[in-house]
Amino acid sequence: PGMIPGGSTAVHGELYEVSPKLLAKLDRHEGVPRFYVREKIRGADFTNTEGYLLVDTDRLAQGLVISSGYWS
């Protein structure tokens, strides 16, 4: 699963504060910048945070929009 820029569906999940060292490990795990990019996103409470967005949006035609926002 992955978020895309400019999407119109809310995504439900958890928000964590992590150290710069752990964030670097997460970036490697998520394949930044090849598969995902980490960018600022706006939360439901209008606060800004960071999230991973899909880079290769051309592959979306192969995917399915999860309208509920719950990917698990």
Side-chain angles (χ1 to χ4, degrees):
M3 295 188 295
I4 60 169
S8 60
T9 303
V11 175
H12 300 270
E14 298 176 359
L15 192 60
Y16 296 92
E17 184 173 351
V18 298
S19 69
K21 185 176 178 179
L22 180 54
L23 191 56
K25 286 182 180 182
L26 289 169
D27 283 348
R28 284 191 300 276
H29 175 77
E30 295 295 344
V32 172
R34 185 172 176 208
F35 299 111
Y36 292 92
V37 292
R38 185 168 29 94
E39 292 189 3
K40 294 215 180 280
I41 58 174
R42 187 178 62 183
D45 61 355
F46 299 100
T47 58
N48 290 321
T49 189
E50 289 185 328
Y52 290 103
L53 302 176
L54 282 172
V55 171
D56 187 4
T57 55
D58 291 337
R59 295 180 64 192
L60 293 176
Q62 302 169 14
L64 170 70
V65 173
I66 304 170
S67 60
S68 70
Y70 291 97
W71 64 271
S72 58

